[in-house]
Amino acid sequence: MWTIQPRGLGDLLEALRNRGYRVVGPVVRDGAICYEDLGSIEDLALAWLDEQEPGNYRLTGSGNGDLFSYSPGAHTWKKFLHKPSVTLWRATKDQKGLHLKEEPTAEGKVALFGARPCELAAIAIQDRVFLEGPFVDSFYAAARKEMFVVALNCSHPSKSCFCVSMKTGPRAATGFDLCLTEIHPNGEAELVVEVGSETGGLILADLQRREATEKDLEAVRKTLEEAEQRVERSLDTEGIQGLFDRSFESPQWDDVARRCLGCANCTMVCPTCFCTTVVESSDLAGAEATRTRIWDSCFTKDFTYIHGGSVRPSGYSRYRQWITHKLANWIEQFGTSGCVGCGRCITWCPVGIDITAEVEALRARERTGSGSGGSSHEGNA
Amino acid sequence: MIAAADPMVPNLHRIQKVTQETSDTFTLALAPSCGRKCPAFRPGQFNMLYVFGVGEVPISISGDPATPETLVHTTRAVGAVTAAMKKMRPGDQLGVRGPYGTEWPVAEAHDRDVVIVAGGIGLAPLRPALYSLLNHRERYGRVVLLYGTRSPEDILYRTEIQKWRSQFDLDVHVTVDRATGKWRGNVGVVTSLIPKAPFDPYHATAFVCGPEIMMRYTILALLKRGVEKDSIHLSMERNMKCAVGFCGHCQIGPLFVCRDGPVFGYPRLEKLLDKREL
């Protein structure tokens, strides 16, 4: 373990750029923390404080000397790995017939600067989806292979966070090349660095650093313990597959459907949601067509459309699908929950639907005996 | 870097032959025009078919697994892609990727009776299973095809069905929802054929494909007749964009139809089939 000064962050950024990495990280844009290119250290969002709660997000100056006193915003790292829009291939048509042109899979090496522990857990989950099944997504694999991760342990969880109950934070255990923890041993910010890979060690060797003292490590422990205690929300995952199995006809689905706008925000901000559709576009002459894969959401009616109609025409069935898949079916499909407790779906839901509260409501209805059979839904949205 | 084998990239094929089966249903015979060979397929599997400028849809393979060099797909024109496909002629090109998914477990049916229950276009994914059974007829007990369509005009593979009917080693029973013209056959839903169909329910394997409502009632009739749950297999249909487990569209509960299906043993679907809007 090593300790660097805040100005070392600029050196770290330069070291990564010198090694050919495109460095992306948190910047302030449109009043929110966004993940964008870091051209220089000036772009990095430092000393900002965020307020998050169901349906609410505000970014303000921190004023307390802390560098990283915010938690993730609406962006997720999946925008660099499982991109919102990917050209899969193109086809052209001439007198000889059709010709296919495959697309390049990667633009180069990317370094994620400031990935939170819950976000590393999310990347590990998407790895299972795109790399560990019978088929491999070559676009994801190419982006993933050349990725460098500077992780950032969480010292300021937001009110939407529930990583502790999902066992993903506030401390990163794995999945990084370097991992930073901000401490304030003498009132001034310093960063304790843990090395997670050989490349990480090589890059750190370029930086001005000192060996972390026992006092530094104690400060790290204390910071992360305090952060853990500040995580207010929790999601009870005990027997959750059975809960969803028994709750299929729960009146709670009608209840949440009355609030849910079906806007798909939760799926767009979720770091693990992976669903896509493919759109076909062609030029006006009809000589060239492009196949583009874009993020899709199970909250749209089209998502399940087959001739004759949608399999899930009603809002309640689409919310039920999303949460059941995320928290229960995912376990059967990929051996892990699809939720990392980052709280984005809670913050960015325009009506403040809280996934942890919905699970609690399902449990409460079971306890009080209003868990099933009482539903009046007729299937029309 | 070029994706050597991204699973979303198809191979080009050329249409060899178009057969108009009914007013809205047609069969395409395809051969690769990309220099590659057609991969072998197992009965029940499907391909993603791509029409230039329109899009891509999952379509089951309906040809004979013993002659994979010609790829045969029977399709009903119900959406933009299949409507465009209906207008295509010999020499036109399609993109094909696959085959994908699980198969009708024909090997499990050795030394047993086999009952195939098809509703409408559901006969298309079952035809490779029937070919497979007939190619190795001696391995099976009685083989029964129960086929229901809306009207006599909607009967697929008409000439072939007539040929099968005349065979001594295959029982074919066709029924229609509405009799028209000179129809002198059965009238009623396909499930009405199950109680008296000539097979031994205690030693029979059933392959079922059709609309979900038809499959649900077929299962009830088969179970009532005494067929074991484990011996019933169904083929499911869902919206599909990738066929390789990435797009998420085809999920039924924890199952991905593209990779866990489309052919499922009934026990895996038992708890899911009756759930509305799953």
Side-chain angles (χ1 to χ4, degrees):
Chain A
M1 302 279 260
W2 302 85
T3 301
I4 62 170
Q5 299 299 309
R7 65 175 179 277
L9 290 173
D11 301 335
L12 175 56
L13 183 74
E14 282 315 307
L16 288 166
R17 288 165 64 88
N18 290 339
R19 280 180 161 76
Y21 286 99
R22 170 192 174 197
V23 185
V24 292
V27 305
V28 175
R29 206 190 72 194
D30 301 334
I33 296 292
C34 297
Y35 293 155
E36 306 281 1
D37 280 277
L38 296 177
S40 75
I41 199 65
E42 278 76 45
D43 295 335
L44 183 68
L46 289 176
W48 290 87
L49 182 74
D50 65 352
E51 293 170 23
Q52 298 195 34
E53 57 191 348
N56 188 41
Y57 180 92
R58 290 291 177 275
L59 194 63
T60 57
S62 73
N64 64 359
D66 287 10
L67 304 174
F68 298 107
S69 45
Y70 53 84
S71 54
H75 281 193
T76 66
W77 303 102
K78 85 178 176 186
K79 67 183 270 196
F80 303 106
L81 303 172
H82 173 49
K83 295 175 188 173
S85 174
V86 171
T87 303
L88 295 171
W89 48 273
R90 295 169 201 274
T92 53
K93 192 178 193 175
D94 60 23
Q95 284 169 344
K96 285 184 194 159
L98 293 182
H99 310 275
L100 298 188
K101 280 192 293 189
E102 293 182 29
E103 283 289 305
T105 51
E107 299 110 48
K109 306 195 285 186
V110 175
L112 314 184
F113 200 94
R116 304 301 184 143
C118 61
E119 301 181 307
L120 299 182
I123 292 169
I125 288 172
Q126 289 217 321
D127 284 354
R128 293 197 181 199
V129 175
F130 293 121
L131 303 178
E132 293 167 24
F135 295 93
V136 170
D137 174 14
S138 57
F139 297 92
Y140 183 89
R144 186 70 183 81
K145 193 178 156 200
E146 303 196 74
M147 186 177 86
F148 187 93
V149 176
V150 181
L152 184 58
N153 282 331
C154 278
S155 44
H156 290 77
S158 83
K159 282 187 180 169
S160 295
C161 294
F162 55 102
C163 61
V164 176
S165 57
M166 301 312 291
K167 300 180 178 66
T168 63
R171 179 178 204 141
T174 179
F176 54 81
D177 297 281
L178 293 172
C179 180
L180 313 176
T181 309
E182 181 181 356
I183 55 168
H184 297 85
N186 308 305
E188 294 295 311
E190 286 188 306
L191 296 149
V192 175
V193 190
E194 185 182 347
V195 176
S197 74
E198 201 175 315
T199 322
L202 288 172
I203 285 179
L204 187 69
D206 290 351
L207 307 184
Q208 203 174 29
R209 68 198 194 283
R210 64 176 170 79
E211 206 154 332
T213 61
E214 193 47 51
K215 200 179 149 206
D216 293 342
L217 299 181
E218 182 52 35
V220 168
R221 273 193 292 277
K222 193 158 163 283
T223 300
L224 297 178
E225 266 170 33
E226 282 172 11
E228 184 165 335
Q229 279 156 18
R230 278 207 299 276
V231 174
E232 294 170 15
R233 276 194 161 65
S234 69
L235 195 152
D236 179 5
T237 56
E238 185 67 33
I240 201 152
Q241 288 169 286
L243 173 71
F244 279 98
D245 213 24
R246 295 187 301 273
S247 301
F248 189 76
E249 298 289 349
S250 173
Q252 186 60 25
W253 304 123
D254 281 334
D255 187 293
V256 71
R258 279 195 285 274
R259 288 170 281 137
C260 176
L261 307 177
C263 72
N265 262 17
C266 50
T267 53
M268 295 294 107
V269 298
C270 178
T272 68
C273 271
F274 59 81
C275 290
T276 52
T277 188
V278 182
V279 291
E280 175 93 7
S281 52
S282 51
D283 66 345
L284 288 174
E288 182 170 332
T290 306
R291 302 284 294 161
T292 309
R293 183 175 72 191
I294 55 172
W295 287 352
D296 200 359
S297 171
C298 55
F299 279 91
T300 72
K301 237 182 194 175
D302 271 0
F303 191 79
T304 54
Y305 184 87
I306 43 177
H307 54 91
S310 172
V311 175
R312 297 183 207 110
S314 65
Y316 82 83
S317 70
R318 298 199 289 273
Y319 186 86
R320 180 175 64 195
Q321 165 62 20
W322 176 70
I323 191 172
T324 307
H325 182 220
K326 183 76 42 190
L327 299 176
N329 291 342
W330 211 296
I331 299 171
E332 190 168 333
Q333 293 171 344
F334 301 107
T336 168
S337 173
C339 178
V340 296
C342 71
R344 283 179 177 87
C345 58
I346 302 172
T347 297
W348 298 95
C349 175
V351 295
I353 295 170
D354 173 352
I355 189 171
T356 66
E358 293 307 316
V359 170
E360 224 16 77
L362 289 174
R363 290 192 189 277
R365 286 192 190 265
E366 258 201 338
R367 280 194 296 271
T368 60
S370 59
S372 65
S375 174
S376 61
H377 42 68
E378 284 302 319
N380 296 313
Chain B
M1 189 195 292
I2 292 293
D6 188 79
M8 295 295 278
V9 179
N11 291 316
L12 291 175
H13 282 58
R14 214 175 271 285
I15 297 175
Q16 307 294 306
K17 193 180 163 201
V18 180
T19 311
Q20 195 68 34
E21 303 283 355
T22 72
S23 63
D24 60 359
T25 306
F26 52 95
T27 297
L28 302 179
L30 307 167
S33 59
C34 55
R36 283 171 229 189
K37 271 190 173 173
C38 269
F41 73 92
R42 299 188 298 275
Q45 290 193 298
F46 68 96
N47 279 318
M48 293 298 282
L49 300 189
Y50 167 75
V51 180
F52 177 76
V54 188
E56 195 182 47
V57 284
I59 305 284
S60 63
I61 305 172
S62 49
D64 185 345
T67 55
E69 54 277 8
T70 306
L71 198 51
V72 179
H73 286 282
T74 298
T75 308
R76 192 150 65 94
V78 288
V81 178
T82 48
M85 223 177 262
K86 186 170 183 259
K87 292 180 190 153
M88 297 181 88
R89 293 293 160 253
D92 289 347
Q93 281 175 299
L94 284 170
V96 178
R97 54 189 183 93
Y100 297 118
T102 54
E103 66 196 279
W104 298 111
V106 284
E108 268 179 40
H110 284 180
D111 301 320
R112 296 165 65 85
D113 290 356
V114 183
V115 53
I116 292 176
V117 191
I121 187 99
L123 183 58
L126 283 164
R127 192 168 69 161
L130 195 52
Y131 285 138
S132 188
L133 299 173
L134 294 176
N135 290 343
H136 307 282
R137 184 64 191 88
E138 72 288 354
R139 293 178 187 169
Y140 304 94
R142 281 167 288 189
V143 177
V144 184
L145 170 64
L146 309 177
Y147 177 39
T149 69
R150 285 170 295 181
S151 73
E153 290 74 35
D154 292 307
I155 294 172
L156 291 181
Y157 313 135
R158 188 175 292 268
T159 321
E160 204 167 19
I161 285 179
Q162 274 163 2
K163 195 189 102 196
W164 287 336
R165 282 181 74 121
S166 66
Q167 282 181 226
F168 294 113
D169 57 358
L170 179 64
D171 273 295
V172 179
H173 300 272
V174 180
T175 180
V176 298
D177 295 343
R178 284 175 287 109
T180 54
K182 292 180 185 163
W183 181 256
R184 293 287 176 271
N186 298 303
V187 177
V189 291
V190 72
T191 47
S192 64
L193 301 175
I194 292 170
K196 49 185 192 294
F199 65 90
D200 172 6
Y202 305 106
H203 300 95
T205 297
F207 299 154
V208 185
C209 187
E212 273 181 46
I213 181 94
M214 166 264 173
M215 293 202 285
R216 287 208 293 270
Y217 283 99
T218 297
I219 290 160
L220 291 178
L222 289 169
L223 294 173
K224 197 174 172 197
R225 181 87 196 260
V227 180
E228 300 265 356
K229 282 179 185 176
D230 289 342
S231 303
I232 301 173
H233 305 271
L234 321 170
S235 182
M236 299 296 289
E237 180 184 16
R238 280 294 180 273
N239 184 307
M240 226 177 254
K241 297 294 176 189
C242 75
V244 292
F246 297 157
C247 80
H249 287 242
C250 69
Q251 292 172 81
I252 304 177
L255 306 173
F256 286 93
V257 171
C258 68
R259 71 168 204 215
D260 301 318
V263 178
F264 294 94
Y266 173 58
R268 281 196 92 181
L269 290 174
E270 187 180 359
K271 282 188 180 165
L272 308 174
L273 268 182
D274 289 333
K275 288 184 171 172
R276 197 160 48 173
E277 295 196 49
L278 179 58

